[in-house]
Amino acid sequence: MITLNHYLVVAAMLFAIGLAGVVARRNILTIYMCLEMMLSAANLTLVAFSRFHLHDGLPDYHAQALVFFTITVAAAEVAVGLAIIVALYRARQSVDVTTVTKLQG
Amino acid sequence: MSAHNIEIALAVAAVALLGLDAFVPTLKRDIIPKLSIGLVGLALLAMFFAKGDTPAYLASYYRIDSIAMFYKVFALVATLAALIIAREADPVIAHFTGTEGPSTRIAEFYILPLIVCVGLMWMASAQDLISVFVPLELVTVTFYVLVAFARRSAVSLEAGVKYLILGALSTGILVYGIAWIYGATGSMTFAGIAKAVGAASTSKSALIVGAALLLAGLGFKVAAAPFHVWVPDVYQGAPTPVTAFLSVGSKAGAFIVLTRAVQALTATGSQISGEVQTTLLWSGVITILFGSLAAITQTQIKRLLGYSSISHAGFILLALAAGDSARFGISSEGVVAFYLATYLPMTMLGFLLLAVLRSQGVAEELSQLQGLSKRSPGMAFALAVAFASLAGLPLTAGFIGKMLVFLAAVDKGWYGAVGLAVVGAAAGFYYYFRPILAAYSAGKPEDTALRWSLPAKATAAVLVLAIVTLGVYPKALQSALKQNIVLTSAGK
């Protein structure tokens, strides 16, 4: 029997993997994928809570509504983000975060 | 006309302007900026005649109350100021986007702030975590574009990438926090959360996980320690009008959300009000100290203002932590709103001067300010007013804001925290006065006089007047807005 806790643990693992990737990876595209994974973890948590918060035998749809907004926002974020990363690649011929060091101090 | 119609009209106008720019190739370069400024001015005017009633079909997500009205007006004023600064910075932006000359345009640079403004106005009324999240992201994603706008400038692009990664990270943390708060309380609305945080059936540990993640996500947006690392780099690299808008508009938007979230999480009987209060208090104190002490060695003025923005966020967090003070007759949300209202004119004035100076070849370095008082006495005076107010000199707006925060903290008996905050404020007197001293020191003989355009001069005059008026007669804000958001007895 799969319970709420199973979903929450999987989501927490996804979130942790994403966060570790953002901190440890150097390629900006990989970092971006890890960020998307963190959003997926949040979505999974929302859907799991929604499924197990029953109102009159039906799931509570408020959380599921937020999931759709999160997906849409993530798509918009990717569109803008990839454009900026492409501009960076054109300027530097690299998408390695360690080259982004002009601003310091 | 109800206030929410103004937001809808502004959103429609922004899309219409984008269409106008796309489909009318013969448009003159300065038409869109003028239209944009005109529209925001019109919306601001309409705001003073708007009725503060919430339509019934929106009631569970959206409410127009006096604090929401304040933040809506605030968003419009900040947008107007940012657009005026953008006009001053136009040659610099054109240089870094390859659009010099009258036949080219950079219309998006003047239209995107309208979209940010709509997001900020909507956020001010949000009563539900969904209607908080969507405008917050509308603002953040639009700022990704604006920060990286000068794409041929290596620093602007780099600032854009840093803001993108840390902004997206904060979004992930925020949504995960929302998910856990929803899981713990079973509700997405602030009212529902406020009711559930005190209930015995609510799991305290789930609530703490959710609240911690939510505060961390919002902490990124307001530049609270330890999530402030992006601020100096992004502020220095972004085009000056964008930095100004980011430091005032984006911060205010995040603070109204934070205010409402903290009110819900620390509602009467809440299981976690102590934890939330302690987190805000120490985050605030560390933010003040970090911002103030790291600013001491800065010589780049935009970076200096970045650290200044961090330290001001710390003071506002302290006000949020302290909550209402019956003894001094001040409310927590009132102090936050008042502090932001004093922060707007002084920061905008600082960035306006930087933009005017930059367009005439004066770089944003302290040493470049030398001899400013000879080259343009007016600019030197405005600079002195802005930085004195940022430091919190008596008779300027900044002093009253800081005093209210100290009063609220003293009322709670937090003498240690107040002592540390005073150390931060005292350090501020050192680093804020360095630009003023530089401006009034002797310059080089080959220096030429500097000129500024009429709109810039008029805006600077209005901002100087606002700083002095708020510093001498703080109640002016209350009567000007006809809103009972600020104080009852203190701050006289």
Side-chain angles (χ1 to χ4, degrees), chain B residues 267-297:
Chain B
T268 322
S270 165
Q271 302 178 39
I272 56 163
S273 52
E275 283 87 346
V276 170
Q277 202 175 45
T278 314
T279 311
L280 287 174
L281 167 63
W282 290 111
S283 171
V285 171
I286 294 167
T287 309
I288 295 172
L289 284 179
F290 181 85
S292 309
L293 298 180
I296 288 177
T297 56

mmCIF file of all heavy atoms in Angstrom, chain B residues 267-297:
data_model
loop_
_atom_site.group_PDB
_atom_site.id
_atom_site.type_symbol
_atom_site.label_atom_id
_atom_site.label_comp_id
_atom_site.label_asym_id
_atom_site.label_seq_id
_atom_site.Cartn_x
_atom_site.Cartn_y
_atom_site.Cartn_z
ATOM 1 N N ALA B 267 -0.619 34.108 13.514
ATOM 2 C CA ALA B 267 -1.957 34.476 13.970
ATOM 3 C C ALA B 267 -2.153 33.995 15.415
ATOM 4 O O ALA B 267 -1.429 33.126 15.887
ATOM 5 C CB ALA B 267 -3.004 33.848 13.060
ATOM 6 N N THR B 268 -3.135 34.581 16.084
ATOM 7 C CA THR B 268 -3.360 34.266 17.494
ATOM 8 C C THR B 268 -3.434 32.764 17.728
ATOM 9 O O THR B 268 -4.143 32.057 17.022
ATOM 10 C CB THR B 268 -4.688 34.906 17.950
ATOM 11 O OG1 THR B 268 -4.793 36.174 17.320
ATOM 12 C CG2 THR B 268 -4.733 35.051 19.448
ATOM 13 N N GLY B 269 -2.665 32.294 18.710
ATOM 14 C CA GLY B 269 -2.701 30.870 19.052
ATOM 15 C C GLY B 269 -1.820 30.008 18.181
ATOM 16 O O GLY B 269 -1.822 28.790 18.314
ATOM 17 N N SER B 270 -1.037 30.646 17.281
ATOM 18 C CA SER B 270 -0.219 29.856 16.371
ATOM 19 C C SER B 270 0.814 29.031 17.119
ATOM 20 O O SER B 270 1.404 29.482 18.099
ATOM 21 C CB SER B 270 0.486 30.786 15.386
ATOM 22 O OG SER B 270 1.524 30.104 14.739
ATOM 23 N N GLN B 271 1.042 27.798 16.633
ATOM 24 C CA GLN B 271 2.032 26.933 17.280
ATOM 25 C C GLN B 271 3.453 27.394 17.003
ATOM 26 O O GLN B 271 4.377 27.022 17.703
ATOM 27 C CB GLN B 271 1.899 25.498 16.749
ATOM 28 C CG GLN B 271 0.537 24.898 16.941
ATOM 29 C CD GLN B 271 0.510 23.501 16.343
ATOM 30 O OE1 GLN B 271 1.451 22.759 16.441
ATOM 31 N NE2 GLN B 271 -0.596 23.144 15.723
ATOM 32 N N ILE B 272 3.651 28.160 15.913
ATOM 33 C CA ILE B 272 5.028 28.467 15.514
ATOM 34 C C ILE B 272 5.322 29.963 15.548
ATOM 35 O O ILE B 272 6.315 30.405 14.969
ATOM 36 C CB ILE B 272 5.333 27.927 14.100
ATOM 37 C CG1 ILE B 272 4.349 28.473 13.072
ATOM 38 C CG2 ILE B 272 5.334 26.422 14.071
ATOM 39 C CD1 ILE B 272 4.844 28.320 11.662
ATOM 40 N N SER B 273 4.498 30.764 16.259
ATOM 41 C CA SER B 273 4.760 32.207 16.186
ATOM 42 C C SER B 273 6.113 32.549 16.806
ATOM 43 O O SER B 273 6.813 33.431 16.319
ATOM 44 C CB SER B 273 3.634 33.007 16.823
ATOM 45 O OG SER B 273 3.380 32.540 18.099
ATOM 46 N N GLY B 274 6.500 31.821 17.872
ATOM 47 C CA GLY B 274 7.795 32.090 18.486
ATOM 48 C C GLY B 274 8.937 31.834 17.523
ATOM 49 O O GLY B 274 9.847 32.650 17.375
ATOM 50 N N GLU B 275 8.884 30.698 16.824
ATOM 51 C CA GLU B 275 9.948 30.335 15.889
ATOM 52 C C GLU B 275 10.047 31.358 14.758
ATOM 53 O O GLU B 275 11.148 31.793 14.386
ATOM 54 C CB GLU B 275 9.692 28.943 15.284
ATOM 55 C CG GLU B 275 10.023 27.787 16.196
ATOM 56 C CD GLU B 275 8.859 27.402 17.104
ATOM 57 O OE1 GLU B 275 7.896 28.201 17.203
ATOM 58 O OE2 GLU B 275 8.900 26.328 17.721
ATOM 59 N N VAL B 276 8.881 31.735 14.202
ATOM 60 C CA VAL B 276 8.886 32.691 13.079
ATOM 61 C C VAL B 276 9.484 34.019 13.533
ATOM 62 O O VAL B 276 10.327 34.613 12.858
ATOM 63 C CB VAL B 276 7.454 32.885 12.538
ATOM 64 C CG1 VAL B 276 7.390 34.038 11.562
ATOM 65 C CG2 VAL B 276 6.970 31.609 11.871
ATOM 66 N N GLN B 277 9.068 34.462 14.747
ATOM 67 C CA GLN B 277 9.546 35.745 15.249
ATOM 68 C C GLN B 277 11.069 35.724 15.455
ATOM 69 O O GLN B 277 11.770 36.653 15.042
ATOM 70 C CB GLN B 277 8.841 36.049 16.567
ATOM 71 C CG GLN B 277 8.843 37.508 16.909
ATOM 72 C CD GLN B 277 8.041 37.763 18.156
ATOM 73 O OE1 GLN B 277 8.168 37.046 19.150
ATOM 74 N NE2 GLN B 277 7.201 38.772 18.119
ATOM 75 N N THR B 278 11.566 34.636 16.063
ATOM 76 C CA THR B 278 13.009 34.549 16.312
ATOM 77 C C THR B 278 13.787 34.541 14.995
ATOM 78 O O THR B 278 14.814 35.207 14.855
ATOM 79 C CB THR B 278 13.338 33.270 17.099
ATOM 80 O OG1 THR B 278 12.397 33.162 18.156
ATOM 81 C CG2 THR B 278 14.732 33.295 17.644
ATOM 82 N N THR B 279 13.273 33.768 14.014
ATOM 83 C CA THR B 279 13.955 33.714 12.713
ATOM 84 C C THR B 279 14.039 35.098 12.094
ATOM 85 O O THR B 279 15.101 35.531 11.631
ATOM 86 C CB THR B 279 13.177 32.782 11.766
ATOM 87 O OG1 THR B 279 12.916 31.568 12.434
ATOM 88 C CG2 THR B 279 13.965 32.520 10.500
ATOM 89 N N LEU B 280 12.901 35.809 12.090
ATOM 90 C CA LEU B 280 12.881 37.137 11.470
ATOM 91 C C LEU B 280 13.823 38.071 12.207
ATOM 92 O O LEU B 280 14.568 38.845 11.591
ATOM 93 C CB LEU B 280 11.470 37.711 11.501
ATOM 94 C CG LEU B 280 10.456 37.100 10.549
ATOM 95 C CD1 LEU B 280 9.082 37.687 10.823
ATOM 96 C CD2 LEU B 280 10.846 37.366 9.114
ATOM 97 N N LEU B 281 13.808 38.009 13.538
ATOM 98 C CA LEU B 281 14.626 38.919 14.336
ATOM 99 C C LEU B 281 16.102 38.738 14.005
ATOM 100 O O LEU B 281 16.794 39.700 13.667
ATOM 101 C CB LEU B 281 14.360 38.657 15.822
ATOM 102 C CG LEU B 281 15.341 39.293 16.794
ATOM 103 C CD1 LEU B 281 15.274 40.800 16.685
ATOM 104 C CD2 LEU B 281 15.024 38.869 18.219
ATOM 105 N N TRP B 282 16.584 37.477 14.082
ATOM 106 C CA TRP B 282 18.027 37.285 13.898
ATOM 107 C C TRP B 282 18.436 37.417 12.449
ATOM 108 O O TRP B 282 19.520 37.922 12.147
ATOM 109 C CB TRP B 282 18.489 35.982 14.533
ATOM 110 C CG TRP B 282 18.409 36.161 16.016
ATOM 111 C CD1 TRP B 282 17.540 35.554 16.866
ATOM 112 C CD2 TRP B 282 19.157 37.095 16.811
ATOM 113 N NE1 TRP B 282 17.700 36.040 18.142
ATOM 114 C CE2 TRP B 282 18.686 36.988 18.132
ATOM 115 C CE3 TRP B 282 20.161 38.024 16.529
ATOM 116 C CZ2 TRP B 282 19.195 37.765 19.181
ATOM 117 C CZ3 TRP B 282 20.667 38.794 17.562
ATOM 118 C CH2 TRP B 282 20.186 38.661 18.868
ATOM 119 N N SER B 283 17.547 37.007 11.543
ATOM 120 C CA SER B 283 17.844 37.248 10.137
ATOM 121 C C SER B 283 17.960 38.755 9.886
ATOM 122 O O SER B 283 18.864 39.212 9.185
ATOM 123 C CB SER B 283 16.741 36.641 9.266
ATOM 124 O OG SER B 283 16.914 37.041 7.948
ATOM 125 N N GLY B 284 17.057 39.525 10.507
ATOM 126 C CA GLY B 284 17.089 40.982 10.348
ATOM 127 C C GLY B 284 18.383 41.570 10.873
ATOM 128 O O GLY B 284 19.042 42.364 10.200
ATOM 129 N N VAL B 285 18.784 41.164 12.083
ATOM 130 C CA VAL B 285 19.996 41.735 12.688
ATOM 131 C C VAL B 285 21.230 41.376 11.856
ATOM 132 O O VAL B 285 22.069 42.235 11.563
ATOM 133 C CB VAL B 285 20.146 41.231 14.137
ATOM 134 C CG1 VAL B 285 21.495 41.622 14.692
ATOM 135 C CG2 VAL B 285 19.036 41.785 15.003
ATOM 136 N N ILE B 286 21.315 40.099 11.428
ATOM 137 C CA ILE B 286 22.478 39.685 10.630
ATOM 138 C C ILE B 286 22.483 40.433 9.293
ATOM 139 O O ILE B 286 23.535 40.857 8.807
ATOM 140 C CB ILE B 286 22.462 38.157 10.419
ATOM 141 C CG1 ILE B 286 22.654 37.464 11.765
ATOM 142 C CG2 ILE B 286 23.544 37.722 9.456
ATOM 143 C CD1 ILE B 286 22.362 35.991 11.737
ATOM 144 N N THR B 287 21.284 40.619 8.721
ATOM 145 C CA THR B 287 21.200 41.339 7.450
ATOM 146 C C THR B 287 21.715 42.763 7.601
ATOM 147 O O THR B 287 22.479 43.260 6.766
ATOM 148 C CB THR B 287 19.747 41.347 6.953
ATOM 149 O OG1 THR B 287 19.247 40.022 6.971
ATOM 150 C CG2 THR B 287 19.654 41.887 5.551
ATOM 151 N N ILE B 288 21.290 43.446 8.682
ATOM 152 C CA ILE B 288 21.747 44.826 8.906
ATOM 153 C C ILE B 288 23.263 44.859 9.036
ATOM 154 O O ILE B 288 23.950 45.640 8.375
ATOM 155 C CB ILE B 288 21.121 45.414 10.190
ATOM 156 C CG1 ILE B 288 19.618 45.548 10.057
ATOM 157 C CG2 ILE B 288 21.750 46.767 10.518
ATOM 158 C CD1 ILE B 288 18.938 45.930 11.340
ATOM 159 N N LEU B 289 23.789 43.963 9.892
ATOM 160 C CA LEU B 289 25.236 43.991 10.148
ATOM 161 C C LEU B 289 26.011 43.658 8.881
ATOM 162 O O LEU B 289 26.976 44.332 8.536
ATOM 163 C CB LEU B 289 25.590 42.994 11.254
ATOM 164 C CG LEU B 289 25.226 43.471 12.650
ATOM 165 C CD1 LEU B 289 25.583 42.417 13.665
ATOM 166 C CD2 LEU B 289 25.930 44.779 12.969
ATOM 167 N N PHE B 290 25.563 42.610 8.177
ATOM 168 C CA PHE B 290 26.300 42.230 6.977
ATOM 169 C C PHE B 290 26.289 43.363 5.960
ATOM 170 O O PHE B 290 27.326 43.769 5.437
ATOM 171 C CB PHE B 290 25.719 40.968 6.354
ATOM 172 C CG PHE B 290 26.488 40.582 5.137
ATOM 173 C CD1 PHE B 290 27.636 39.831 5.249
ATOM 174 C CD2 PHE B 290 26.120 41.050 3.885
ATOM 175 C CE1 PHE B 290 28.393 39.537 4.138
ATOM 176 C CE2 PHE B 290 26.871 40.756 2.776
ATOM 177 C CZ PHE B 290 28.002 39.994 2.901
ATOM 178 N N GLY B 291 25.072 43.894 5.683
ATOM 179 C CA GLY B 291 24.959 44.953 4.678
ATOM 180 C C GLY B 291 25.815 46.143 5.023
ATOM 181 O O GLY B 291 26.526 46.697 4.184
ATOM 182 N N SER B 292 25.795 46.537 6.307
ATOM 183 C CA SER B 292 26.511 47.754 6.695
ATOM 184 C C SER B 292 28.013 47.540 6.699
ATOM 185 O O SER B 292 28.764 48.385 6.216
ATOM 186 C CB SER B 292 26.078 48.205 8.082
ATOM 187 O OG SER B 292 24.695 48.271 8.144
ATOM 188 N N LEU B 293 28.455 46.404 7.244
ATOM 189 C CA LEU B 293 29.897 46.226 7.403
ATOM 190 C C LEU B 293 30.566 45.930 6.066
ATOM 191 O O LEU B 293 31.674 46.399 5.805
ATOM 192 C CB LEU B 293 30.183 45.111 8.418
ATOM 193 C CG LEU B 293 29.629 45.438 9.813
ATOM 194 C CD1 LEU B 293 29.929 44.325 10.790
ATOM 195 C CD2 LEU B 293 30.177 46.761 10.330
ATOM 196 N N ALA B 294 29.873 45.178 5.180
ATOM 197 C CA ALA B 294 30.487 44.865 3.892
ATOM 198 C C ALA B 294 30.540 46.108 3.002
ATOM 199 O O ALA B 294 31.351 46.188 2.088
ATOM 200 C CB ALA B 294 29.718 43.757 3.191
ATOM 201 N N ALA B 295 29.663 47.087 3.259
ATOM 202 C CA ALA B 295 29.622 48.276 2.401
ATOM 203 C C ALA B 295 30.804 49.201 2.657
ATOM 204 O O ALA B 295 31.144 50.030 1.809
ATOM 205 C CB ALA B 295 28.320 49.032 2.627
ATOM 206 N N ILE B 296 31.444 49.063 3.825
ATOM 207 C CA ILE B 296 32.459 50.038 4.226
ATOM 208 C C ILE B 296 33.595 50.124 3.215
ATOM 209 O O ILE B 296 34.094 51.203 2.919
ATOM 210 C CB ILE B 296 32.996 49.676 5.634
ATOM 211 C CG1 ILE B 296 31.900 49.991 6.655
ATOM 212 C CG2 ILE B 296 34.256 50.447 5.972
ATOM 213 C CD1 ILE B 296 32.260 49.620 8.063
ATOM 214 N N THR B 297 33.985 48.984 2.643
ATOM 215 C CA THR B 297 35.162 48.995 1.763
ATOM 216 C C THR B 297 34.812 49.225 0.293
ATOM 217 O O THR B 297 35.689 49.186 -0.551
ATOM 218 C CB THR B 297 35.907 47.651 1.873
ATOM 219 O OG1 THR B 297 34.967 46.622 1.565
ATOM 220 C CG2 THR B 297 36.466 47.440 3.260
#
